[in-house]
Amino acid sequence: MALSKKPVTGMKDILPEEMEIRDYVISVIKETYGKFGFTSIETPCVEHIENLNCKAGGENEKLTFKILKRGEKLKIDEAKEENDLVDGGLRYDLTVPLVRYYSAHAAELPAPFKALQMGNVWRADRPQRGRYRQFMQCDIDILGEASNLAEIELILATTTTLGKLGFKNFQVRINDRQILKAMASAAGFTEEQYDDVFIILDKLDKIGEEGVKEELAKAGYADTSIQTFVGLVTSLQNAENPIAVLQNDLVAKGNLDASVVEGFEQILDSVRASKGDYFELVFDPTLVRGMSYYTGTIFEIAMPEYGGSCGGGGRYDKMVGKFIGNDVPACGFSIGFERIIMLLLENGFKVPGADKKTAYLIEKGMSKERVSDIMKEAQAARANGQTILVAMMNKNKKFQKEQLNAQGYEEFKEFYKEELKH
Amino acid sequence: MALSKKPVTGMKDILPEEMEIRDYVISVIKETYGKFGFTSIETPCVEHIENLNCKAGGENEKLTFKILKRGEKLKIDEAKEENDLVDGGLRYDLTVPLVRYYSAHAAELPAPFKALQMGNVWRADRPQRGRYRQFMQCDIDILGEASNLAEIELILATTTTLGKLGFKNFQVRINDRQILKAMASAAGFTEEQYDDVFIILDKLDKIGEEGVKEELAKAGYADTSIQTFVGLVTSLQNAENPIAVLQNDLVAKGNLDASVVEGFEQILDSVRASKGDYFELVFDPTLVRGMSYYTGTIFEIAMPEYGGSCGGGGRYDKMVGKFIGNDVPACGFSIGFERIIMLLLENGFKVPGADKKTAYLIEKGMSKERVSDIMKEAQAARANGQTILVAMMNKNKKFQKEQLNAQGYEEFKEFYKEELKH
């Protein structure tokens, strides 16, 4: 078979210029999250196929890259369907592996456990511009913290990191699944209808209030329910004091627990009190977020330069229970690492404080002794903190220097066979 | 299907303590190699199945984790063998992907191209202690540099990195495939016999000189060939000046090109002139290294604390040609990242210069306003460079503090509902 030079469909090679930015962003993320007490962990990229199919991954489960069984376990003749042929798959997110990890190691881990994961995930999505089948995710999660301290810390850590990377004027939108459900319940929808109703609500910023009403009507819901529901949403959107609206319209009428609103207010107040002015924390009653595993607060980052979301997360208190039987409170926030990198690249981001770089160019045919001396000099300069590239001098030295210039080498030291030339 | 808490067979979860060391080692590696002008690159973890089967991976090809075709391309009924079912696999090394990468992007890359790759590779090896099916590799390669400058830079960069990690008294053993071949040719072996003869020679440190002779005899080789070959090897091993032996016994008799010895001597001299005294560079005429793609110098790291090799590499001038038709000189050095981590863990390595860490403990039921103030204080301290963990105070505060102590939190600040208690 002929060899293929291109990367596999939908995945990409990362060239040095982008890699330099990625390495820098990774180091800022690790350092900043470290200051908040998050500790790095890692899980294998390959996960049990049964865990990947456990319904915690939503639509992503359909996009799993599956791994063929090996040796005697692979029985091609007897195989009827995909799952007969595979025993593992590449993880499509970092949440399912985190929950498995926590279930396996809880006894060895601090409580609460503040985890930072940076790692690739894979989804066999239809390839499209700027969207790849292998991409880096960057998640922080707090397991074992029932209070809203978790949300506050996650939002502060994530926004501090984005601030350090120079992002500003962005929004963190926040909502709570329990608020969504209370609105739906107050409007008379049944629990089975919630998800369907929320999916339509999610389109509000695209199709507008009337569009949402139309779609809900088309889905056959009662007009009074639709009017009440959309009325609640818009009154929350337009309220100067939405917390008061929550209390008057939902808590007072028995649709929402007072503690939910208190906790929600605590998050808003604490984050707003300690955040810089480079971002806004906004209560968005239309925020839904796709994953069905969320049980409480949900949040999302909206960047002015970018239409879609640049990160998000929420509380998922019921997922650990799937593995170990009893529930453990859990809350996470994921940065859209690839989008962040894309935005930095598009904005011509330069990694700050890059060292001065020097290139040593050696004429061909230099004596053994001189080469040894030059290498010694290079080693001493490196030990001194300098970046030194040593290369043989090309015939076209001008072109070589131009190329090196483009790589950031501004100073040159040329070594010739005859000292006089130097 | 029940969910599995353990990682998949042969792969491991990485706990925070190990991860801290890994992150530190990665940062030292990136920084040190950066000083030598190596630039980071990345390839997808998934590679074309035809590239993984291209015979450049030696025995590792048999250990590939293969990835099932998706959608309409998967025809289970018609499949006769594994390769009908798969279109990709997880990379088993970083060399095949590097060569593909270089072939695809050479026009956009500097010449010579100095690449640093740190990434996971996967091999479906029999699981055994300390050896995993997913492991990190850390390779530097120089493509487009025909001179021995490549070897010198690779050895200096790798050993400088190991020195910064505190390793000492280790050996870099070096040999050259062309010297091996010259000895075999001088002894009268035919080219087809070389690989077989070298595999037996490779066992010399385990089975001794007599053992090698016996095995060669058992394989049916002529006694004069065996005596000459082993005689050459041992005279090189015992020589005070092995370069002179190479010149007298191999160059003078027309078995070896003088330029090979000159280049080899250049490497020895230059590295020895500029290296610190924390390692030795040793000419080892018995060094073979398994991969058939090596064409010139080969090298390996031997640590006193560890029996096996902790890294190795060599020149492979013919591999790029498989992809693009014309050969490009190439030389690489791979650090045994996982073994390095294992040795550091076994030696109780502590990451130097870790920050002082402070934990803020908040009594339950604290007022909203106070919580906001505490978070504000934490944010200010973090902005000031401190590491601050904020947690709710447990009922068993003593145990909580002990746990935090174990995680490196030495200072505590406790916040109570009633100021007086504080």
Side-chain angles (χ1 to χ4, degrees):
Chain A
M1 242 180 298
L3 298 182
S4 308
K5 286 198 246 178
K6 283 192 185 168
V8 296
T9 312
M11 301 193 195
K12 73 166 179 174
D13 290 329
I14 301 172
L15 289 170
E17 297 71 38
E18 177 176 341
M19 203 62 203
E20 194 189 350
I21 294 179
R22 295 173 79 93
D23 278 347
Y24 170 74
V25 172
I26 290 171
S27 74
V28 169
I29 288 174
K30 291 217 170 188
E31 195 194 323
T32 311
Y33 284 155
K35 299 267 180 247
F36 285 78
F38 288 91
T39 52
S40 289
I41 65 153
E42 226 177 80
T43 68
C45 300
V46 180
E47 193 53 67
H48 301 284
I49 196 73
E50 60 269 27
N51 290 1
L52 295 174
N53 289 338
C54 80
K55 310 275 175 235
E59 289 299 298
N60 296 328
E61 293 192 2
K62 296 180 193 153
L63 307 175
T64 309
F65 282 96
K66 296 177 179 174
I67 292 175
L68 205 66
K69 289 179 181 173
R70 293 151 307 282
E72 291 171 3
K73 287 183 183 160
L74 178 68
K75 297 189 173 77
I76 297 178
D77 296 342
E78 300 171 20
K80 296 272 176 293
E81 50 170 30
E82 279 188 23
N83 283 338
D84 300 330
L85 292 166
V86 301
D87 58 0
L90 295 176
R91 59 186 181 198
Y92 48 71
D93 73 7
L94 300 178
T95 307
V96 170
L98 171 70
V99 172
R100 182 195 54 68
Y101 177 100
Y102 182 82
S103 307
H105 306 288
E108 303 156 73
L109 298 172
F113 176 48
K114 298 178 87 172
L116 162 61
Q117 293 185 92
M118 302 201 71
N120 285 314
V121 302
W122 291 263
R123 295 180 192 167
D125 237 328
R126 178 191 293 272
Q128 48 186 300
R129 201 187 148 271
R131 201 156 168 182
Y132 292 95
R133 289 178 160 191
Q134 169 179 316
F135 57 98
M136 173 90 104
Q137 280 200 334
C138 170
D139 287 13
I140 45 173
D141 292 87
I142 305 180
L143 290 106
E145 177 59 71
S147 86
N148 290 303
L149 201 52
E151 281 87 341
I152 298 167
E153 286 279 84
L154 290 168
I155 296 171
L156 287 175
T158 303
T159 52
T160 301
T161 301
L162 291 173
K164 285 210 175 155
L165 293 171
F167 289 98
K168 50 192 176 195
N169 303 324
F170 58 91
Q171 281 191 339
V172 176
R173 296 185 185 146
I174 185 167
N175 196 8
D176 193 308
R177 284 268 169 146
Q178 294 172 90
I179 294 173
L180 280 171
K181 287 180 183 175
M183 291 191 294
S185 155
F189 291 110
T190 65
E191 251 183 80
E192 299 72 50
Q193 297 169 339
Y194 289 177
D195 276 341
D196 188 35
V197 172
F198 297 160
I199 288 169
I200 296 172
L201 173 65
D202 202 18
K203 303 179 189 169
L204 194 131
D205 58 341
K206 290 203 186 84
I207 61 175
E209 195 183 317
E210 289 311 310
V212 168
K213 283 183 180 170
E214 269 171 42
E215 280 214 24
L216 287 170
K218 225 183 273 176
Y221 296 115
D223 190 54
T224 49
S225 291
I226 296 173
Q227 297 301 338
T228 312
F229 183 69
V230 177
L232 275 168
V233 170
T234 47
S235 74
L236 276 171
Q237 279 188 305
N238 301 327
E240 256 189 56
N241 182 357
I243 295 295
V245 176
L246 288 175
Q247 274 157 344
N248 297 334
D249 290 0
L250 295 171
V251 177
K253 293 177 183 164
N255 290 301
L256 185 60
D257 210 47
S259 67
V260 173
V261 180
E262 264 169 49
F264 197 71
E265 195 182 7
Q266 173 80 75
I267 299 170
L268 293 173
D269 286 358
S270 287
V271 171
R272 284 173 180 160
S274 30
K275 81 182 188 58
D277 57 5
Y278 56 93
F279 78 97
E280 295 287 313
L281 178 65
V282 181
F283 173 29
D284 178 358
T286 72
L287 182 70
V288 170
R289 288 196 62 76
M291 306 307 291
S292 59
Y293 55 67
Y294 288 122
T295 56
T297 41
I298 44 180
F299 24 83
E300 203 164 271
I301 300 166
M303 290 277 177
E305 306 97 315
Y306 184 76
S309 142
C310 279
R315 187 169 274 280
Y316 52 101
D317 285 345
K318 301 285 175 193
M319 206 159 136
V320 177
K322 283 194 160 199
F323 281 83
I324 58 172
N326 52 312
D327 290 336
V328 171
C331 196
F333 205 150
S334 178
I335 290 185
F337 183 86
E338 300 292 346
R339 289 185 188 170
I340 294 298
I341 297 295
M342 195 191 73
L343 289 174
L344 291 174
L345 278 167
E346 285 177 2
N347 297 341
F349 179 80
K350 291 275 167 255
V351 171
D355 302 336
K356 197 187 68 177
K357 296 161 141 190
T358 305
Y360 286 12
L361 302 179
I362 306 178
E363 194 184 15
K364 287 210 168 69
M366 186 74 74
S367 77
K368 253 182 9 172
E369 292 70 24
R370 286 286 312 286
V371 171
S372 292
D373 287 345
I374 296 164
M375 298 313 294
K376 211 169 154 177
E377 186 180 329
Q379 277 297 86
R382 287 159 180 161
N384 211 10
Q386 291 181 57
T387 295
I388 308 286
L389 179 99
V390 184
M392 299 310 289
M393 199 179 288
N394 288 353
K395 276 185 197 153
N396 188 343
K397 195 175 68 182
K398 186 161 167 283
F399 178 68
Q400 185 179 21
K401 284 180 159 182
E402 280 168 11
Q403 273 208 316
L404 287 165
N405 259 152
Q407 293 170 59
Y409 290 90
E410 290 177 359
E411 199 179 289
F412 298 93
K413 195 159 177 183
E414 299 167 29
F415 298 90
Y416 292 94
K417 278 187 285 188
E418 295 165 41
E419 290 283 353
L420 287 180
K421 266 200 188 170
H422 188 46
Chain B
M1 243 181 298
L3 298 181
S4 307
K5 286 198 245 180
K6 283 190 185 169
V8 297
T9 312
M11 302 192 194
K12 73 166 178 173
D13 290 329
I14 302 173
L15 290 170
E17 298 72 38
E18 178 176 339
M19 203 63 204
E20 195 189 349
I21 295 178
R22 294 174 80 94
D23 277 347
Y24 171 74
V25 172
I26 289 171
S27 74
V28 169
I29 289 174
K30 292 216 169 188
E31 195 194 323
T32 312
Y33 284 155
K35 299 266 179 248
F36 285 79
F38 288 92
T39 51
S40 289
I41 65 152
E42 228 177 79
T43 69
C45 300
V46 180
E47 193 52 68
H48 300 283
I49 197 71
E50 59 269 27
N51 290 1
L52 295 174
N53 289 338
C54 80
K55 309 279 176 233
E59 291 298 298
N60 296 329
E61 293 191 0
K62 296 181 192 152
L63 306 175
T64 309
F65 283 96
K66 295 178 181 173
I67 291 174
L68 205 65
K69 289 179 182 172
R70 293 152 306 284
E72 289 172 4
K73 287 183 184 162
L74 178 67
K75 298 189 172 75
I76 298 178
D77 297 342
E78 299 171 20
K80 295 272 175 294
E81 50 171 30
E82 280 187 22
N83 283 338
D84 300 330
L85 293 166
V86 301
D87 58 359
L90 294 176
R91 59 186 181 200
Y92 48 71
D93 72 7
L94 300 178
T95 306
V96 171
L98 171 71
V99 172
R100 182 195 54 69
Y101 177 100
Y102 183 81
S103 307
H105 305 287
E108 304 156 73
L109 298 172
F113 176 48
K114 299 177 86 172
L116 163 60
Q117 293 184 93
M118 304 202 70
N120 285 313
V121 302
W122 291 263
R123 294 179 192 168
D125 236 328
R126 179 190 293 271
Q128 48 187 299
R129 200 188 149 272
R131 203 157 165 181
Y132 292 95
R133 289 178 160 191
Q134 169 179 317
F135 56 97
M136 174 89 105
Q137 279 201 335
C138 170
D139 288 14
I140 46 174
D141 292 87
I142 304 180
L143 289 105
E145 177 58 73
S147 87
N148 290 301
L149 201 52
E151 282 87 341
I152 298 167
E153 286 279 84
L154 290 169
I155 296 171
L156 287 176
T158 303
T159 52
T160 301
T161 301
L162 290 173
K164 286 213 174 153
L165 293 171
F167 290 98
K168 49 191 176 197
N169 303 323
F170 60 90
Q171 281 191 340
V172 176
R173 295 184 185 147
I174 184 166
N175 196 7
D176 192 307
R177 285 268 169 144
Q178 293 173 91
I179 295 174
L180 280 171
K181 286 180 182 174
M183 293 191 293
S185 154
F189 291 110
T190 65
E191 251 184 79
E192 298 73 48
Q193 297 169 338
Y194 289 175
D195 276 341
D196 188 34
V197 170
F198 297 159
I199 288 169
I200 296 172
L201 173 66
D202 201 19
K203 302 179 187 169
L204 194 132
D205 58 341
K206 289 203 186 86
I207 61 176
E209 194 184 318
E210 289 311 311
V212 168
K213 284 183 180 171
E214 270 171 43
E215 281 213 23
L216 287 170
K218 226 183 274 175
Y221 296 115
D223 190 52
T224 49
S225 291
I226 297 174
Q227 297 301 337
T228 312
F229 183 68
V230 177
L232 276 168
V233 170
T234 48
S235 75
L236 276 172
Q237 279 187 303
N238 301 326
E240 257 188 54
N241 182 356
I243 296 295
V245 176
L246 288 175
Q247 275 157 345
N248 296 333
D249 289 3
L250 294 171
V251 176
K253 292 175 184 164
N255 290 299
L256 184 61
D257 209 49
S259 68
V260 173
V261 180
E262 265 169 49
F264 198 71
E265 195 182 8
Q266 175 79 74
I267 299 169
L268 293 173
D269 286 357
S270 288
V271 172
R272 284 172 181 159
S274 32
K275 80 182 188 61
D277 57 5
Y278 57 92
F279 79 97
E280 296 286 313
L281 179 66
V282 181
F283 172 30
D284 178 358
T286 72
L287 182 72
V288 170
R289 290 197 59 79
M291 306 307 290
S292 59
Y293 55 66
Y294 289 123
T295 56
T297 41
I298 42 179
F299 23 83
E300 202 165 272
I301 301 165
M303 290 275 178
E305 306 98 313
Y306 184 77
S309 142
C310 280
R315 188 169 273 280
Y316 53 101
D317 284 346
K318 300 284 175 192
M319 207 157 136
V320 176
K322 284 193 160 200
F323 281 83
I324 57 172
N326 52 313
D327 291 334
V328 171
C331 197
F333 205 149
S334 177
I335 291 185
F337 182 86
E338 301 291 346
R339 289 184 187 170
I340 295 297
I341 298 295
M342 195 191 72
L343 290 173
L344 291 174
L345 278 168
E346 286 177 2
N347 296 341
F349 178 80
K350 291 274 167 258
V351 171
D355 302 335
K356 196 186 70 176
K357 296 162 144 189
T358 304
Y360 285 12
L361 302 179
I362 306 179
E363 194 182 14
K364 286 209 166 71
M366 185 74 73
S367 77
K368 255 182 6 173
E369 292 70 24
R370 286 286 313 286
V371 171
S372 292
D373 287 346
I374 296 164
M375 298 313 294
K376 210 168 156 178
E377 185 179 331
Q379 277 296 85
R382 287 160 179 159
N384 210 11
Q386 292 180 57
T387 294
I388 308 286
L389 179 100
V390 185
M392 298 310 289
M393 197 180 288
N394 287 354
K395 275 184 195 153
N396 188 343
K397 194 175 69 182
K398 188 162 166 281
F399 178 69
Q400 184 180 22
K401 283 179 159 184
E402 280 168 13
Q403 272 207 319
L404 287 165
N405 259 152
Q407 292 171 58
Y409 290 90
E410 289 176 358
E411 199 179 289
F412 297 94
K413 194 159 177 183
E414 299 167 30
F415 298 89
Y416 292 94
K417 277 187 285 188
E418 297 166 38
E419 288 284 354
L420 288 178
K421 267 199 187 171
H422 186 46

